[in-house]
């Protein structure tokens, strides 16, 4: 299997389309070739590619910023003597000055397949800026490690944010190259856009379900350490809007959840009792952990580890978004007055609860907090959005 970057490096006829043009790269630490060279170094080493600038998304080109709302400055790359512009610093959208440093922008980002992962919003902003400034954009496509399954409510009008680029469900089941085509049509963006397709990508094939078994995983952001996290993330990211720890400050962030004041055994039992159909395809394991930073720092937490891997993992049955919602519901049923929802300016959004910003509307929180709500009601509300997206995305699938 070949990723987009590997095809570009191996096929001179592709690079010939950039002849005489200045090239920029949007990348992060996981932007590497099959032999683990960073894409910036690999491109700069080729005589027929004139690399004049680079861009970094949230967490930076180097991936050094640990948490949300930790901004990255611009800098000069010491190895290649080119400017590196941050798209998560003083600005979120590229400036006119940065857009004048290139003619063709290559996007080589490893995504997680989740609407809230901010790289897709950055791509939308890049597409809009490229259209305004007459620039060309190529996506060097990479696998979606969460695969093709779709799950979650569609973001509502008025709830757009840096973690909500448009009316997309939480787990969208597309590659970045495919999403770029959808953005262009949905927002009527007029620009020169190309996807360098992967070769041999089989998103429904076991055991990786889109992630090739022989390809090493490299963190695209500091708390994205493995495939298990990538599969669980469409659910565990909801924890960022709660008082529960999502495992930041541990070695398994965004695969686990817990708090000092919950009984994880009772939570797991209540989850199995209330909606066992939402727990298919994975295993839940009771754990104890003590975060070294972030929520509940240096406090012993009782929690749950979500295992979406190994024997018993069923890719089509696993529903991480419902699973995590069910955990909230179980806590609410066990402790009706539990202080669950965290109130702070999530991704700079003021006046809205973080859990609602994450979900693109208040419906999930409303269902969790309603004393008499049922799993059937939640499924009925959500399945309409999911089926609609499955049909809408069909024409954009490249693989």
């Amino acid at each position: 299997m070949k990723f987009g970057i590997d095809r570009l490096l191996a096929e001179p006829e592709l690079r010939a389309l950039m002849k005489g043009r200045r090239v920029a790269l949007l990348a992060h630490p996981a932007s590497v070739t099959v032999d683990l060279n960073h894409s910036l170094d690999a491109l700069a080493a080729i005589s027929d590619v004139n690399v004049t600038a680079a861009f970094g998304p949230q967490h930076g080109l180097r991936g050094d910023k640990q948490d949300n709302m930790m901004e990255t400055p611009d800098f000069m790359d010491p190895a290649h003597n080119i400017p590196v512009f941050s798209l998560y610093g003083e600005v979120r959208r590229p400036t006119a000055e940065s857009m004048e440093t290139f003619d063709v922008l290559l996007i080589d980002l490893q995504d997680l397949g989740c609407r809230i992962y901010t790289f897709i919003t950055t791509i939308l902003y890049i597409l809009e800026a490229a259209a305004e400034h007459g620039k060309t954009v190529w996506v060097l496509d990479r696998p979606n490690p969460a695969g093709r399954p779709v799950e979650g409510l569609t973001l509502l009008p008025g709830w757009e944010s840096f973690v909500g680029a448009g009316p997309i469900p939480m787990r969208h089941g597309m590659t970045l190259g495919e999403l770029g085509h959808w953005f262009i049509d949905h927002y009527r963006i007029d620009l020169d856009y190309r996807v360098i397709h992967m070769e041999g990508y089989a998103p429904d094939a076991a055991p990786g379900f889109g992630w090739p078994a022989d390809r090493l995983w490299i963190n695209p952001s500091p708390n994205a350490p493995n495939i298990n996290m990538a599969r669980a993330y469409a659910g565990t990211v909801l924890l960022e809007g709660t008082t529960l720890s999502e495992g930041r400050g541990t070695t398994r962030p965004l695969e686990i959840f817990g708090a000092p004041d919950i009984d994880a055994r009772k939570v797991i039992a209540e989850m199995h009792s209330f909606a066992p159909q939402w727990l298919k395809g994975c295993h839940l394991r009771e754990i104890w952990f003590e975060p070294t930073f972030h929520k509940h720092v240096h406090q012993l937490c009782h929690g749950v580890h979500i295992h979406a891997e190994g024997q018993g993992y069923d890719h089509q049955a696993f529903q991480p978004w419902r699973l995590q919602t069910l955990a909230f519901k179980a806590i609410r049923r066990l402790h009706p007055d539990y202080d669950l929802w965290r109130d702070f300016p999530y991704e700079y959004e003021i006046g809205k609860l973080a859990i609602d910003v994450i979900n693109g509307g208040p419906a999930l929180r409303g269902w969790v907090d309603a004393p008499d709500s049922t799993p059937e009601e939640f499924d009925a509300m959500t399945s309409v959005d999911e089926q609609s997206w499955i049909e809408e995305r069909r024409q954009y699938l490249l693989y």
Side-chain angles (χ1 to χ4, degrees), residues 55 126 185 190 224 236 246 249 274 287 310 344 368:
F55 291 81
I126 283 282
D185 279 2
D190 183 15
T236 54
E246 63 269 23
F274 189 68
I287 59 169
F344 75 117
V368 170

Side-chain angles (χ1 to χ4, degrees), residues 275-293:
Q277 67 273 25
W278 292 359
L279 301 178
K280 294 178 180 178
C282 69
H283 292 290
L284 302 183
R285 181 172 62 91
E286 175 197 8
I287 59 169
W288 296 89
F289 63 95
E290 183 178 304
T292 58
F293 60 87

Side-chain angles (χ1 to χ4, degrees), residues 292-306:
T292 58
F293 60 87
H294 215 261
K295 299 178 205 169
H296 308 306
V297 59
H298 301 315
Q299 297 183 65
L300 182 63
C301 296
H302 201 188
V304 179
H305 196 152
I306 302 165

Side-chain angles (χ1 to χ4, degrees), residues 117-137:
Y117 210 43
T118 61
F119 301 158
I120 71 172
T121 307
T122 293
I123 288 177
L124 171 61
Y125 293 173
I126 283 282
L127 294 175
E128 291 174 333
E132 179 183 352
H133 293 274
K135 305 297 181 177
T136 295
V137 174

Side-chain angles (χ1 to χ4, degrees), residues 123-325:
I123 288 177
L124 171 61
Y125 293 173
I126 283 282
L127 294 175
E128 291 174 333
E132 179 183 352
H133 293 274
K135 305 297 181 177
T136 295
V137 174
W138 291 12
V139 172
L140 311 181
D141 223 3
R142 289 178 173 267
N144 177 343
R148 288 300 194 198
V150 169
E151 193 184 10
L153 293 165
T154 299
L155 181 139
L156 296 174
W159 286 87
E160 295 83 3
S161 70
F162 198 59
V163 292
I168 302 168
M170 184 64 82
R171 191 179 181 194
H172 53 71
M174 300 175 76
T175 70
L176 289 185
E178 294 168 339
L179 265 177
H181 281 299
W182 181 83
F183 279 139
I184 287 166
D185 279 2
H186 181 78
Y187 289 108
R188 296 175 180 162
I189 306 170
D190 183 15
L191 82 158
D192 181 15
Y193 177 77
R194 176 187 294 265
V195 178
I196 305 301
H197 298 192
M198 292 175 281
E199 287 184 354
Y201 179 49
D204 296 321
F209 300 100
W211 187 263
D214 60 350
R215 191 86 177 204
L216 292 176
W217 178 265
I218 296 173
N219 294 28
S221 56
N223 288 286
N226 53 51
I227 294 295
N228 189 63
M229 175 273 176
R231 290 171 176 165
Y233 181 65
T236 54
V237 71
L238 303 177
L239 291 157
E240 295 184 358
T242 75
T243 58
L244 305 174
S245 170
E246 63 269 23
R248 291 179 189 269
T250 77
T251 59
R252 302 307 290 260
L254 294 156
E255 302 173 58
I256 66 177
F257 65 90
D261 56 352
I262 67 168
D263 185 326
R265 287 193 179 188
K266 290 183 178 179
V267 171
I268 292 171
E270 184 64 25
M271 292 170 72
H272 279 282
S273 173
F274 189 68
Q277 67 273 25
W278 292 359
L279 301 178
K280 294 178 180 178
C282 69
H283 292 290
L284 302 183
R285 181 172 62 91
E286 175 197 8
I287 59 169
W288 296 89
F289 63 95
E290 183 178 304
T292 58
F293 60 87
H294 215 261
K295 299 178 205 169
H296 308 306
V297 59
H298 301 315
Q299 297 183 65
L300 182 63
C301 296
H302 201 188
V304 179
H305 196 152
I306 302 165
H307 292 282
E309 57 189 342
Q311 187 175 6
Y313 175 62
D314 186 329
H315 186 69
Q316 298 302 325
F318 181 49
Q319 300 181 99
W321 185 75
R322 282 171 171 78
L323 185 157
Q324 195 63 64
T325 302

Side-chain angles (χ1 to χ4, degrees), residues 4 41 54 108 243 262 333 382:
D41 296 328
D108 186 27
T243 58
I262 67 168
R333 284 168 62 85
T382 305

